[in-house]
């Protein structure tokens, strides 16, 4: 992730929403942010802060723009005694980090209470399972506010030119569609060789489609490592490597460094990329006017235990630090940010997918939202291992997969190394 509001003004919307009673004394909330200050998302947050302060004259909000390493920066600040009231970070990282360490306040009572607009429980604002995914041992310490769906994003015109007029729903039809695209003289799939967390999504989805949504976590938590010898692992490896063998991933991709591959999508040289729904925003200034984005769900595998309506996401959440002296005001501001008018501003102005399920997404990412609307299960990053075992997720799972995916080690080497590294991981815990 790098890089028309409602017809009534947000001030009017604020007056219509029901937020908690706030202290009468002057309060300063300190918010440490995952945004970099020039980003569109930061600009939306700034505007929301200004509107909130205007509606609550007794409250000021001081924002510190730290970027994506915000959680690490917050940890260091807390260790030195710096007061912080609110922070945000990626949901899975926060679950395994500050939430797991007991540094955030729970939201149990608030989620069971009324939503900011007074219609039903607060928890019902969000996509199904999103709150459950963010919880630690059944207790939610964070409130999601934006998310990206991992879909196969594609140039709809290039697919139509190849005679593919509907998104394929099983793997064999998907490969056949890519072969048709390749036959027109354009590359089928874009791969950034140096972005392991992009490339592992192929393996995540194939394992899920073959062996079900619980398989990956089961393999990681098998202290013997032997689950990595399951035939489903080898089948998933062979299926993704077949894309290279067929030339559906161009050979030069082995040398691509981000953002080289996605630039070929923007220039109409490559038809598709498996990536988060931030891609149309990243490429907005590069694609030609009228570029038509499509987003297809990752296809099913015939006879597999997974489901095409299981969608992996990358979500981001707010938390209230347990040391805050302004708990009521901090909670109130977060409720304001996830209310429909505020979330619509994120969707329209920053073109970001949002956690409030009632909000329409921008046209560039509307097809990605459709996959969430149709989802029967929303999967966290790397199907839970990023939150529970972040070092393993990055340094073992993603790193070794990338070597296998790029042909630097064989499937046999990958499996043996996953067995031994998993044993080693658990032996050292």
């Amino acid at each position: 992730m790098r890089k028309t509001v409602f017809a009534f003004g947000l001030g009017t919307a604020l007056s219509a929403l029901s937020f908690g009673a706030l202290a009468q004394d002057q309060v300063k909330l300190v918010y440490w942010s995952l945004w970099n200050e020039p980003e569109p998302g930061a600009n939306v947050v700034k505007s929301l802060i200004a509107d909130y302060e205007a509606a609550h004259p007794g409250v000021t909000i001081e924002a510190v723009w730290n970027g994506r390493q915000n959680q690490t920066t917050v940890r260091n600040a807390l260790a030195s005694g710096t007061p912080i009231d609110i922070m945000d970070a990626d949901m899975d990282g926060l679950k395994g980090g500050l939430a797991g360490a007991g540094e955030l306040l729970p939201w149990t009572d608030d989620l069971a209470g009324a939503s900011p607009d007074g219609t039903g429980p607060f928890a019902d604002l969000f996509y199904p399972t999103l709150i459950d995914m963010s919880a630690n041992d059944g207790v939610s310490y964070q409130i999601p506010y934006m998310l990206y769906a991992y879909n196969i994003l594609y140039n709809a015109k290039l697919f139509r030119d190849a005679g593919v007029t509907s998104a394929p729903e099983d793997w064999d039809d998907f490969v056949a569609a890519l072969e048709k695209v390749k036959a027109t003289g354009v590359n089928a799939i874009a791969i950034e060789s140096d972005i392991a967390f992009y490339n592992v999504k192929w393996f995540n989805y194939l394992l899920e489609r073959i062996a079900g949504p619980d398989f990956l976590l089961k393999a990681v938590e098998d202290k013997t490592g032997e689950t990595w010898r399951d035939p489903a692992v080898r089948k998933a490896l062979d299926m993704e490597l077949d894309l290279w063998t067929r030339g559906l991933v161009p050979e030069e991709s082995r040398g691509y460094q981000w953002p080289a591959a996605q630039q070929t999508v923007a220039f109409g040289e490559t038809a598709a990329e498996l990536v988060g729904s931030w891609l149309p925003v990243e490429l907005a200034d590069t694609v030609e006017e009228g570029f038509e984005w499509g987003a297809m769900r990752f296809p099913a595998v015939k006879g597999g235990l997974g489901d095409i309506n299981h969608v992996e996401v990358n979500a981001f959440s707010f938390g209230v630090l347990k040391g805050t002296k302004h708990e009521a005001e901090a909670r109130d501001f977060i409720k304001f940010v996830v209310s429909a008018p505020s979330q619509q501003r994120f969707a329209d102005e920053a073109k970001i997918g949002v956690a409030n399920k009632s909000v329409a997404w921008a046209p560039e990412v509307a097809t990605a939202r459709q996959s969430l609307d149709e989802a029967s299960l929303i999967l966290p990053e790397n199907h839970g291992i990023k939150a529970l075992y972040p070092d393993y997720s990055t340094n073992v799972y993603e790193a070794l997969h990338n070597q296998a995916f790029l042909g630097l080690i064989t499937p046999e080497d990958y499996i043996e190394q996953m067995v031994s590294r998993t044993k080693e991981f658990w032996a050292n815990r």
Side-chain angles (χ1 to χ4, degrees), residues 44 46 259 291 298 318 328 364 382:
V44 173
K46 287 179 187 177
F291 189 101
F298 196 92
F318 281 107
E364 295 89 337
N382 293 351

Side-chain angles (χ1 to χ4, degrees), residues 95-362:
K95 179 175 178 176
L98 289 172
E103 294 292 340
L104 303 178
L105 295 176
W107 284 85
T108 307
D109 292 343
D110 298 80
L111 287 166
S115 64
D117 62 3
T119 60
F122 183 32
D124 287 354
L125 286 186
F126 306 96
Y127 279 99
T129 77
L130 201 56
I131 295 296
D132 292 339
M133 280 168 48
S134 72
N136 292 66
D137 297 324
V139 179
S140 294
Y141 295 92
Q142 47 182 317
I143 296 295
Y145 75 104
M146 64 174 185
L147 73 162
Y148 299 97
Y150 286 107
N151 294 144
I152 297 163
L153 300 180
Y154 64 95
N155 182 326
K157 181 180 183 301
L158 293 182
F159 272 74
R160 281 197 303 271
D161 289 348
V164 181
T165 56
S166 61
E169 296 200 348
D170 71 63
W171 182 260
D172 293 340
D173 289 344
F174 173 64
V175 171
L178 295 179
E179 293 278 16
K180 290 180 180 178
V181 169
K182 179 178 172 241
T184 66
V186 300
N187 294 321
I189 299 171
I191 295 294
E192 310 278 7
S193 70
D194 60 330
I195 308 295
F197 88 91
Y198 283 14
N199 297 336
V200 84
K201 301 307 180 222
W202 288 98
F203 193 55
N204 286 357
Y205 269 126
L206 281 168
L207 267 182
E208 193 280 333
R209 299 304 194 244
I210 294 165
D214 299 327
F215 180 85
L216 180 53
L217 190 57
K218 175 185 170 185
V220 174
E221 292 184 333
D222 176 1
K223 295 182 170 123
T224 71
E226 290 300 311
T227 302
W228 288 106
R229 300 191 196 280
D230 189 289
V233 174
R234 180 57 190 261
K235 182 175 181 180
L237 287 169
D238 288 344
M239 290 173 74
E240 63 178 4
L241 292 176
D242 183 57
L243 299 174
W244 292 87
T245 302
R246 292 172 178 271
L248 299 174
V249 183
E251 188 62 28
E252 59 266 27
S253 302
R254 300 185 197 277
Y256 280 164
Q257 303 284 300
W258 184 90
Q262 70 180 40
Q263 292 296 312
T264 70
V265 176
F267 297 144
E269 299 165 3
T270 306
E273 183 172 7
L274 174 57
V275 69
S277 54
W278 58 76
L279 188 66
V281 180
E282 284 191 354
L283 297 181
D285 294 333
T286 310
V287 298
E288 291 184 356
E289 186 175 352
F291 189 101
E292 184 182 347
W293 285 102
M296 67 178 78
R297 299 164 296 170
F298 196 92
V301 173
K302 289 176 182 175
L305 301 178
D307 192 295
I308 193 172
N309 288 315
H310 296 171
V311 180
E312 186 171 342
V313 302
N314 176 209
F316 297 81
S317 299
F318 281 107
V320 177
L321 279 300
K322 71 176 184 181
T324 181
K325 295 181 180 178
H326 309 296
E327 179 180 346
E329 291 81 5
R331 290 183 187 276
D332 196 68
F333 175 69
I334 291 173
K335 289 178 182 179
F336 165 64
V337 174
V338 297
S339 66
S342 299
Q343 293 269 280
Q344 193 68 57
R345 184 170 288 187
F346 275 108
D348 289 344
E349 297 179 18
K351 304 191 186 306
I352 294 170
V354 294
N356 188 319
K357 65 186 180 185
S358 71
V359 172
W361 293 16

